[in-house]
Amino acid sequence: MFNLNHVSKPVKMTLWCTILFVFAVSAASVLLYGDHFLLGSYEKLNNDDVKYVNSAKILLNKHTLAYNSGEEPSSFIMPGMPFILSGLMLIFGQGDAAVVAFRILQVVLQAFSVYLIFVIANNLFNSRTALIASIATALYLPDYFSSGVILSETIFRTIFILLVYFSLLALKSNQTKHYIIVAVLVVMGCYFKPHTGLFPVVLFLLWLFNKVSWKTIVKHTAVISVTMVLLLCPWWIRNYITFDEFIPFTKSAGNPMLLGALINNAAPAEPFFDAHPEYATRDRASLFAGSDDAMADTAKKIISFGFKHQPMEYLKWYTVDKMTGLYLGPYYWKTVFNIPHPLVVLIHFIMMLISSAGLLLMLVNAIARRNIPYLLILLTLAYFTVIYIPFVAFSRYGYPNIFLIFLGGAYLIERVISVQSVKDLAVGPEARNL
């Protein structure tokens, strides 16, 4: 399944050296810098990373999943991060050692991801493209930041890469066991980021495009649905027993939806408050008062008012600006090895520019040749981009998708190299010696 028997020895050696390089540099960064990567304070509990650690301690000591709720049960987040951290605390204690262990786990996952990216690119294109994609990943500084920060992005990205690989395999083999693995990976993704839950829609579109029979579609849909329901049942049962209501994922969508509705994080224009006098203080703070459902309702009011009275501004905000937020800047919030942020921004911009051209070339070839694997990559990227449009969109959320974009860049670079090689051959040795 993951074997590289058909890959040449020099390519294999280069790949293993790249993987070892990523592991060594990631390990060095997290061991040397440690809590340099903290975004919040353990005393103030003022950011997601320290809140995850606190939730893990409560889960271990009180057997309660709490987040932003003191020690009371919460459905504000999915349980993935607290469970991973509490498991490490069970082994290494509740001090710094467990946090170091979590960072080392992320180091291993970053190195493993390089291998997975190679396997995917090798299946999609060829070993040279796969090597280019792997080396690009190894040189991408935000990966080393992600190894050190105590957030869900590294774990989720690894699950995501596996999901893409097994989706490719399932579409190729059409075997039930591979669709079961896809469903398991979708649910694993959901336990960290619930927006993964609708990913099977991508597969459904590809089945339709590939003219798969309805009998087969129904069969695969049933397999995926039953697997997902069984694996999500523990979470649903916990929520129903604890809160006496069905909560499929979390009760925290209102806040990011409201943040996503505020252009440049500013309060809406004064006419909005004239139309909605219920926000008595007529300021940004008043919008965030009340429950999660209340914030979701406020977001809908702002969106409705904005598109009615400032249509072009809000259209730009929900298209160009959201895309810019997700992908224009790198997920590099703390420096690694003192490499300055502006340099990483420049490198990121160049890589994104090349990769965007590569994705466009992939799209042309996918449509012209009805290439299902290419379409899977493109539709997956589209899905995990569009799903963030209604919510706050910034580089942390776009980061797991970057490997898909870099596949396009590797594809373009390999095509350019191939075309140049053909031209050199066409010229011939006699002409080259003139």
Side-chain angles (χ1 to χ4, degrees):
M1 189 179 296
F2 292 109
N3 74 73
L4 300 176
N5 293 336
H6 57 291
V7 175
S8 69
K9 190 173 180 179
V11 170
K12 281 183 189 176
M13 288 300 298
T14 307
L15 173 62
W16 293 124
C17 288
T18 304
I19 292 170
L20 287 173
F21 172 82
V22 170
F23 180 83
V25 174
S26 291
S29 68
V30 302
L31 293 175
L32 286 173
Y33 289 94
D35 283 349
H36 161 76
F37 292 110
L38 278 181
L39 302 174
S41 161
Y42 287 123
E43 292 76 28
K44 298 177 181 178
L45 296 178
N46 54 355
N47 213 302
D48 285 345
D49 53 353
V50 290
K51 289 179 183 179
Y52 283 141
V53 174
N54 184 62
S55 292
K57 290 178 180 178
I58 295 171
L59 182 61
L60 196 60
N61 297 319
K62 305 291 183 179
H63 309 295
T64 301
L65 180 63
Y67 189 93
N68 284 345
S69 57
E71 294 186 356
E72 295 300 311
S74 168
S75 61
F76 192 84
I77 60 168
M78 295 299 288
M81 281 294 288
F83 268 83
I84 294 289
L85 284 164
S86 63
L88 292 171
M89 288 177 184
L90 194 61
I91 300 169
F92 297 101
Q94 297 180 37
D96 292 339
V99 173
V100 173
F102 178 79
R103 289 182 173 130
I104 294 299
L105 170 64
Q106 294 193 134
V107 167
V108 173
L109 292 178
Q110 289 286 13
F112 180 48
S113 293
V114 174
Y115 176 75
L116 292 176
I117 288 168
F118 180 92
V119 171
I120 289 173
N122 192 46
N123 276 272
L124 282 169
F125 313 112
N126 54 46
S127 60
R128 185 160 63 180
T129 308
L131 204 54
I132 293 169
S134 301
I135 292 171
T137 300
L139 297 176
Y140 190 56
L141 265 295
D143 282 3
Y144 300 103
F145 163 75
S146 187
S147 296
V149 73
I150 310 170
L151 295 174
S152 61
E153 272 58 42
T154 293
I155 294 176
F156 175 75
R157 189 183 80 144
T158 307
I159 296 169
F160 184 23
I161 296 171
L162 283 167
L163 175 59
V164 170
Y165 174 75
F166 278 102
S167 296
L168 284 167
L169 192 60
L171 289 165
K172 182 179 180 180
S173 72
N174 206 32
Q175 293 183 27
T176 299
K177 65 180 181 181
H178 292 141
Y179 281 108
I180 291 174
I181 296 172
V182 166
V184 170
L185 289 166
V186 168
V187 175
M188 286 177 65
C190 287
Y191 276 112
F192 292 90
K193 293 185 180 291
H195 62 271
T196 314
L198 292 176
F199 174 77
V201 172
V202 171
L203 298 178
F204 180 76
L205 293 174
L206 290 169
W207 293 332
L208 293 180
F209 184 82
N210 206 29
K211 298 180 181 178
V212 174
S213 71
W214 279 104
K215 180 181 178 181
T216 303
I217 290 175
V218 170
K219 173 189 168 185
H220 292 330
T221 301
V223 165
I224 291 172
S225 300
V226 169
T227 304
M228 289 182 64
V229 167
L230 288 174
L231 294 177
L232 284 168
C233 266
W235 179 242
W236 294 344
I237 292 169
R238 176 262 183 187
N239 287 340
Y240 191 81
I241 291 173
T242 305
F243 304 106
D244 199 29
E245 64 176 308
F246 175 67
I247 303 173
F249 294 111
T250 69
K251 291 281 286 183
S252 62
N255 182 274
M257 186 176 178
L258 178 51
L259 286 170
L262 302 177
I263 296 179
N264 297 321
N265 207 29
E270 285 297 316
F272 170 81
F273 293 106
D274 294 335
H276 295 280
E278 62 268 28
Y279 302 103
T281 57
R282 300 171 66 88
D283 58 10
R284 187 180 180 280
S286 65
L287 303 172
F288 289 85
S291 66
D292 189 73
D293 289 339
M295 283 187 276
D297 185 58
T298 298
K300 292 172 186 174
K301 292 176 183 176
I302 293 172
I303 294 167
S304 175
F305 185 89
F307 274 102
K308 188 179 294 183
H309 297 278
Q310 300 168 273
M312 296 309 296
E313 189 174 352
Y314 273 79
L315 181 62
K316 177 177 175 291
W317 175 246
Y318 277 94
T319 52
V320 175
D321 291 343
K322 294 281 187 173
M323 291 280 287
T324 299
L326 285 172
Y327 299 123
L328 189 60
Y331 178 54
Y332 188 73
W333 298 349
K334 293 286 185 81
T335 59
V336 180
F337 299 118
N338 296 319
I339 298 173
H341 187 266
L343 177 60
V344 178
V345 170
L346 177 62
I347 294 169
H348 171 86
F349 180 77
I350 293 170
M351 293 174 84
M352 291 294 289
L353 199 63
I354 295 169
S355 298
S356 298
L359 289 173
L360 185 59
L361 181 60
M362 280 182 67
L363 177 61
V364 170
N365 287 335
I367 294 172
R369 302 175 185 176
R370 298 182 65 85
N371 189 308
I372 298 300
Y374 286 14
L375 283 175
L376 172 67
I377 299 301
L378 295 165
L379 284 177
T380 299
L381 177 59
Y383 169 78
F384 280 98
T385 299
V386 171
I387 203 72
Y388 278 119
I389 295 301
F391 307 103
V392 59
F394 59 125
S395 59
R396 174 182 166 187
Y397 294 161
Y399 167 73
N401 302 341
I402 295 296
F403 88 94
L404 292 172
I405 298 173
F406 282 2
L407 288 176
Y411 175 62
L412 178 66
I413 292 170
E414 197 280 332
R415 289 290 83 205
V416 170
I417 292 171
S418 295
V419 169
Q420 186 59 49
S421 298
V422 169
K423 286 181 178 179
D424 288 345
L425 286 172
V427 169
E430 296 82 2
R432 286 199 298 270
N433 290 329
L434 289 176

